Amino acid sequence: MSRPDRQHSVWGRVPRPAYGADYNPEQWDAATWKDDVRLMREAGVNLVSLGVFAWSWIEPRRDAFDFTGLDEAVELLHASGIAVDLATPTAAPPLWFSHAHPESLPVTADGRRLAPGSRQAYCPSSPLYRERAAIVTRRLAERYGDHPAVVMWHVNNEYANGNAHCWCETSATAFRTWLRTTYGDDLDALNDRWGTGVWGMTYSDWSQVTPPRTSTSRLPPALWLDFYRFSDAEHLACFRAERDIVRAHSPGRPVTTNFMASALRWSDYWRWAREVDIVSNDHYLGSEDPHRAAELAFAADLTRGLAGGRPWLLMEHSTSGVQWQPRNIAKVPGEMARNTLTHLARGADGTLFFQWRQSAYGPEKWHSAMLPHGGEDTRVRREASALGNAVSRLADVAESTCPPAPVALLLDYEAMWALELPDRPSSDLTCGDALRTWHRALWTAGLGCDIVPAPGAHRLLLVPSLYALSASTARALEAYVEGGGHLVVGPFSGVVDPDDRVHPGPYPGALRDLLGLTVDEYLPLTAGATVALDDGSTGNVWAERVVPDAGTEVECRFADGPAAGGPAVLRRGNVRYLATRPDVPSLLRLLTRWAAQAGCAPAPQGSGDGVEVIRRSGPSGERSWLFVVNHTEATAHVAATGTDLLSGARVPGVVAVPAGEVAVVEEGGTGPR
């Protein structure tokens, strides 16, 4: 644990770096708890999330609270020096509540009310649910708010995971209220912005406005977008209500909720990140994804971006396989450590697993844990303990941050929602795929990358996909370029406004003057088709027929395909536009060259192609730590001088990191202080 006098104020007494797991003592008898705590100490566990799904355990019947078991678990952990991240259990309403109030259950777009019996079986707009959630949260906060074991709070669990949207009558009423507030009670304004004149679907009374339920054909895209915004706001309101109760009874202890950032679905986490004291994220690898190491880096970079320079926490990941993929492949030896240390390298100040002890029953019994079914004498258990010992040597690293990268990727959640609605020119043209592809090219090149919501001070800003664009964002991009920034924009960007209305004039609408070109026609490709560019690059998914303005340079052209002979990559000053989606090898070559032209520092020697080299620096810049994560099958050699905190070995100028292993070099240092 790092020195208390050097803790970041928001973390209070939270151990840094934190290492532990989600703990569910309600699944086991009290005798097992004692064994768990003993083994946790041996494994270096210093923080556990407790009570995430424990509502029916502590309130088995309405208003019949029983904290006996939770009291004992908290005291046992505290006596053993293990801190508690205490959760409000509101992601799992008890069956007594759901059966007494079936109207609180979520309803699908075609009118089916979902049955209770699983987690997140509630409508976020339900006043009955919100009332009971507030009661159980208040009782917890009153009882444990000043308990010395409780160092932070964890509200709910993975908001909008299983119940992102609800179409019940309660939601419909709340949606109308939200819309009347948003549109200043002006129904004509709503009709205008939603374009309800199409197909003659103009509203003449607010009572006619409903969520986008299943109908005979398509509904206005702007209706869907407002419904997504409303739904996100309802979940956020639930979080705020519980957070504020906790803060009132447990002042000084940070409050978080676990994001699912890299899922890129229904929560605008830029907005959510402003509401939590510590940004925390859950991340699970696709076990059959051949690019899972790059995906790991993408998730960590995105979470660091959401944290905005603050410390952040990996709240959940897996020791080995999960239970919910088609084939839940076990992690190979050493992969658990690489996954964990990659997050620490990219800015996390703690990593926790789901879960501590592998369940003996229930849907998640085949989800891996720190303590598998086989007990102490298992590979996963031994690796988890060795990893805890390794993490404990990195206490001083938790006082550091990742310096800003010279390259940034822009992510706009609402533009992503708009692009992925039905009735777009191509269902293959998704924002998430574009972001991951561009990030993977940078990762392969060894170039660091920040993920941002808006232009900043980065030398090179990449905008792979920005279909929906507001006037304010367009002005921000113009100001960024005027200030000397280098901008690269991907295809089908700047086309519509935030209500999915096509910007007036020729494509690409709000970006036309900045890019110095006109798109005459969008040309989606057939499934699996590619196009060749005359510089040797390959594009996929998409092509465009582009007409450059005077003064706009054509850097390369389409060599074949529907836009053959036309511009494929164009440049106007510091701004480039891509009229297709290049594949990773093409992006690797292009982005490396453009980063150099923008004045970005080259990738660290020895990095790239599966070798990650990331530096974290102390507050004053006097101390720094170089993480080298080797995902390859060969030894990596990286320039470094100092001490490897994991092995204790002195590094005289080059660190040799064997295949699949990690080094953390305190540069110029002699080891932990």
Side-chain angles (χ1 to χ4, degrees):
M1 185 182 299
S2 55
R3 299 173 180 85
D5 61 330
R6 298 172 62 194
Q7 290 280 348
H8 192 286
S9 59
V10 74
W11 281 67
R13 293 180 295 110
V14 180
R16 297 171 68 194
Y19 184 72
D22 187 288
Y23 185 41
N24 299 288
E26 64 271 25
Q27 297 180 17
W28 309 96
D29 58 39
T32 303
W33 303 350
K34 295 179 180 178
D35 200 37
D36 283 335
V37 170
R38 173 184 64 84
L39 294 171
M40 286 179 189
R41 288 175 57 85
E42 292 179 8
V45 169
N46 58 19
L47 179 68
V48 297
S49 293
L50 191 64
V52 175
F53 300 118
W55 195 340
S56 64
W57 189 40
I58 63 175
E59 191 183 8
R61 294 175 304 283
R62 184 184 182 97
D63 294 326
F65 286 93
D66 182 359
F67 292 103
T68 305
L70 188 56
D71 283 349
E72 185 176 343
V74 169
E75 292 297 340
L76 184 61
L77 290 161
H78 181 54
S80 300
I82 298 170
V84 172
D85 166 31
L86 188 58
T88 66
T90 50
L95 288 174
W96 60 256
F97 170 77
S98 300
H99 282 273
H101 302 290
E103 66 272 31
S104 71
L105 294 166
V107 171
T108 64
D110 57 4
R112 293 180 298 111
R113 189 174 297 279
L114 298 180
S118 185
R119 61 188 186 180
Q120 292 172 319
Y122 65 88
C123 165
S125 300
S126 167
L128 294 166
Y129 166 77
R130 292 191 183 192
E131 177 187 15
R132 294 310 306 185
I135 290 171
V136 71
T137 297
R138 185 171 293 107
R139 290 295 298 268
L140 277 168
E142 288 172 347
R143 190 174 190 88
Y144 301 103
D146 61 356
H147 195 291
V150 178
V151 299
M152 64 182 291
W153 289 83
H154 177 174
V155 171
N156 202 280
N157 180 74
E158 296 181 341
Y159 276 101
N161 187 357
N163 62 343
H165 311 113
C166 179
W167 286 262
C168 72
E169 284 303 321
T170 299
S171 290
T173 300
F175 184 40
R176 280 190 290 273
T177 300
W178 183 88
L179 289 169
R180 296 183 80 153
T181 300
T182 300
Y183 289 92
D185 210 22
D186 187 343
L187 191 58
D188 289 338
L190 180 144
N191 279 310
D192 177 62
R193 285 173 58 179
W194 284 11
T196 56
V198 175
W199 292 354
M201 292 294 113
T202 302
Y203 299 103
S204 58
D205 190 89
W206 281 104
S207 63
Q208 300 164 5
V209 182
T210 65
R213 293 174 173 140
T214 303
S215 188
T216 54
S217 188
R218 305 297 196 193
L219 298 169
L223 162 60
W224 278 105
L225 289 172
D226 268 344
F227 184 60
Y228 293 158
R229 295 174 184 124
F230 155 77
S231 299
D232 190 31
E234 291 295 272
H235 284 287
L236 188 54
C238 289
F239 167 76
R240 286 179 178 138
E242 293 185 40
R243 177 203 62 192
D244 292 348
I245 291 169
V246 167
R247 283 179 173 173
H249 294 281
S250 191
R253 289 166 173 82
V255 184
T256 190
T257 187
N258 44 338
F259 297 170
M260 301 173 291
S262 61
L264 294 178
R265 295 305 295 164
W266 304 119
S267 299
D268 183 343
Y269 284 129
W270 298 119
R271 186 177 297 118
W272 281 76
R274 295 193 293 267
E275 303 289 342
V276 298
D277 297 318
I278 295 175
V279 167
S280 65
N281 190 46
D282 295 353
H283 183 256
Y284 294 100
L285 289 174
S287 59
E288 295 183 89
D289 180 1
H291 309 297
R292 58 187 179 274
E295 166 63 21
L296 192 78
F298 174 78
D301 285 348
L302 175 52
T303 312
R304 186 181 70 252
L306 293 168
R310 295 177 291 164
W312 60 275
L313 183 68
L314 179 63
M315 185 64 76
E316 292 183 21
H317 69 316
S318 66
T319 58
S320 190
V322 298
Q323 100 288 348
W324 43 267
Q325 296 176 12
R327 288 162 294 279
N328 296 297
I329 311 302
K331 292 183 179 179
V332 300
E335 190 172 3
M336 181 202 312
R338 291 197 302 280
N339 293 173
T340 299
L341 294 170
T342 292
H343 279 86
L344 290 175
R346 293 180 180 270
D349 274 4
T351 59
L352 280 69
F353 295 99
F354 181 84
Q355 57 183 325
W356 163 254
R357 180 182 285 270
Q358 193 169 10
S359 299
Y361 46 78
E364 294 181 317
K365 62 179 172 293
W366 296 115
H367 192 296
S368 61
M370 294 183 74
L371 184 64
H373 290 145
E376 297 180 56
D377 191 21
T378 54
R379 176 188 69 84
V380 168
R381 155 68 181 169
R382 290 190 293 271
E383 285 199 24
S385 295
L387 179 58
N389 182 51
V391 169
S392 70
R393 300 174 205 163
L394 305 180
D396 287 348
V397 177
E399 305 297 335
S400 66
T401 59
C402 291
V407 182
L409 275 172
L410 189 143
L411 165 60
D412 184 311
Y413 284 95
E414 293 195 5
M416 176 182 67
W417 297 342
L419 179 60
E420 297 181 11
L421 283 169
D423 304 315
R424 312 294 95 162
S426 174
S427 61
D428 298 325
L429 196 73
T430 67
C431 181
D433 285 346
L435 285 166
R436 284 180 164 86
T437 299
W438 289 46
H439 185 276
R440 180 153 57 92
L442 295 169
W443 179 86
T444 303
L447 292 170
C449 174
D450 293 334
I451 300 179
V452 298
H458 298 85
R459 289 181 175 273
L460 176 62
L461 177 64
L462 307 178
V463 185
S465 177
L466 196 59
Y467 164 69
L469 178 66
S470 67
S472 61
T473 300
R475 288 193 297 270
L477 291 172
E478 292 167 359
Y480 169 78
V481 173
E482 290 170 0
H486 290 247
L487 176 67
V488 179
V489 179
F492 204 46
S493 293
V495 184
V496 301
D497 69 13
D499 295 311
D500 202 51
R501 182 189 294 265
V502 176
H503 284 295
Y507 309 136
L511 291 178
R512 189 171 56 248
D513 293 339
L514 177 62
L515 298 174
L517 55 87
T518 296
V519 178
D520 178 67
E521 189 174 12
Y522 294 121
L523 305 167
L525 305 181
T526 58
T530 60
V531 289
L533 278 57
D534 64 10
D535 69 346
S537 299
T538 299
N540 54 45
V541 175
W542 191 261
E544 297 175 359
R545 187 170 288 113
V546 179
V547 179
D549 293 350
T552 298
E553 175 188 356
V554 177
E555 292 196 324
C556 71
R557 296 180 177 272
F558 289 102
D560 60 18
V569 180
L570 303 94
R571 178 180 180 181
R572 186 181 185 89
N574 287 350
V575 182
R576 284 185 170 88
Y577 182 69
L578 304 178
T580 186
R581 285 202 166 171
D583 61 11
V584 169
S586 302
L587 280 170
L588 176 62
R589 183 178 65 256
L590 293 170
L591 295 181
T592 301
R593 182 169 75 239
W594 296 342
Q597 292 174 359
C600 301
Q605 184 179 0
S607 67
D609 293 323
V611 179
E612 299 186 58
V613 181
I614 308 110
R615 179 173 282 106
R616 290 184 61 160
S617 301
S620 64
E622 295 177 356
R623 302 178 70 187
S624 61
W625 297 263
L626 194 73
F627 285 73
V628 181
V629 186
N630 186 1
H631 299 281
T632 76
E633 297 180 358
T635 298
H637 297 87
V638 173
T641 300
T643 301
D644 181 358
L645 300 184
L646 300 183
S647 69
R650 184 68 185 162
V651 178
V654 173
V655 60
V657 184
E661 296 191 14
V662 181
V664 182
V665 179
E666 182 176 359
E667 296 181 297
T670 57
R673 298 180 185 178

